[in-house]
Amino acid sequence: MSPSVEIRNALVRLRRSTGLPVAFGGLVEPGRRHMRISELDGTATTSLSALAVTSGYGLGGKAVALARPCAVADYSASRHISHEYDAAVAAEGLRSVLAVPVVVRRRVRGVLYGALRDARRLGDRTLDAAVAAARDVEQALVVTDEVRELLAAARPEPAPGPREAAGREQVREAHTALRALAPRITDEALRAELLAACGLLAAPAGRSGPSTEVGLTPREVDVLACVAAGATNAVAAERLGVRAETVKSYLRSAMRKLGSRTRGEAVVAARRAGWLP
């Protein structure tokens, strides 16, 4: 799911959890000192649409600069923020406003706003709910970032001579991490891209995919990838978000299909069949 869609969905959750009638937000533009408001929910005008908010200016800019939530009881009268954006805020009729930054790896990636059309202090419960909505966006962006990074790392340049073994091990580690991440991806297109990359990583030279003679399920491959990386059943269960007994069940099924008597034999057979790198 794209960052903009994550922001949009978070605004719906923010309004539902806080009861605030208006919510809006946007992303910090890469390499720039400002964020741009791109998503509106509950607004009556377009005065805030596409508004560029510079770090340090206004309420949202203050949240970006400080990397922490900020709120004012009466936007236009507040002495705690600068007032470059008063006209846009007044056109929408907003008075009480909160701004919560979306922070990923210590970098502000966006801002969620919630607002009322009358002047009053927003309580801690409202602010906590807004922060929770921002945390949801942060977690989604972390997963997306990890997938992008692993996809890039999984395509190493050919390494001649003694470095080939190390390069192969890097591919196997990336494959295992990607398989473990796949179930957490809600974006179907991104999940399909990730699993397709896993298939390419696992396919032996000259083969476009795994052998059709052995039909493993995606979860059986996930478990075998963890086993190949040296994970115990308990560790595999934690990585995949299932119970250890479920891991044992998948492993037994995969071993039966591969004609293997041990975990190690199953990994070797899965590699030969093109299911693992």
Side-chain angles (χ1 to χ4, degrees):
M1 192 174 295
S2 72
S4 293
V5 174
E6 294 290 356
I7 292 287
R8 191 179 312 143
N9 291 343
L11 296 180
V12 174
R13 293 194 296 272
L14 189 155
R15 288 187 64 197
R16 184 170 59 242
S17 61
T18 64
L20 296 175
V22 178
F24 50 100
L27 297 166
V28 174
E29 297 187 347
R32 307 291 292 275
R33 293 186 62 251
H34 64 248
M35 59 82 62
R36 189 172 298 276
I37 296 174
S38 59
E39 309 300 328
L40 309 173
D41 196 294
T43 54
T45 73
T46 59
S47 65
L48 298 168
S49 180
L51 182 67
V53 177
T54 302
S55 176
Y57 294 86
L59 183 67
K62 183 177 180 180
V64 171
L66 298 178
R68 64 175 174 79
C70 299
V72 293
D74 191 346
Y75 191 99
S76 62
S78 176
R79 293 181 293 177
H80 301 292
I81 60 172
S82 63
H83 292 276
E84 291 80 5
Y85 312 109
D86 280 12
V89 174
E92 182 59 39
L94 304 180
R95 302 286 296 280
S96 182
V97 186
L98 61 80
V100 181
V102 174
V103 184
V104 178
R105 296 174 180 174
R106 299 184 181 181
R107 182 165 66 91
V108 178
R109 296 276 294 274
V111 177
L112 303 182
Y113 295 83
L116 292 166
R117 291 191 168 89
D118 59 309
R120 75 172 84 158
R121 181 183 177 276
L122 295 171
D124 291 341
R125 183 174 298 180
T126 297
L127 189 59
D128 289 345
V131 169
R135 296 299 88 88
D136 289 343
V137 179
E138 291 169 0
Q139 291 302 313
L141 293 183
V142 166
V143 171
T144 301
D145 287 351
E146 289 178 353
V147 169
R148 300 295 187 193
E149 291 168 4
L150 285 167
L151 285 173
R155 300 184 180 92
E157 294 296 322
R163 296 176 60 190
E164 289 181 354
R168 195 63 179 164
E169 189 58 34
Q170 180 184 1
V171 170
R172 287 171 175 169
E173 290 175 1
H175 178 269
T176 301
L178 287 168
R179 296 283 328 185
L181 272 174
R184 297 164 57 192
I185 306 301
T186 57
D187 186 324
E188 293 184 4
L190 180 58
R191 185 169 62 249
E193 179 185 352
L194 184 154
L195 292 175
C198 287
L200 292 175
L201 291 174
R207 184 184 293 175
S208 59
S211 170
T212 57
E213 296 177 3
V214 181
L216 298 179
T217 67
R219 268 313 201 190
E220 288 167 353
V221 177
D222 292 341
V223 169
L224 285 171
C226 289
V227 171
T232 63
N233 289 347
V235 172
E238 184 178 353
R239 289 180 183 174
L240 300 174
V242 297
R243 297 173 60 188
E245 288 299 322
T246 304
V247 169
K248 290 181 183 178
S249 177
Y250 285 130
L251 184 56
R252 284 195 297 266
S253 176
M255 290 169 61
R256 183 176 64 253
K257 292 178 181 179
L258 292 164
S260 305
R261 294 172 298 176
T262 67
R263 296 156 63 95
E265 287 181 1
V267 169
V268 172
R271 285 175 175 160
R272 287 174 178 169
W275 288 102
L276 296 176

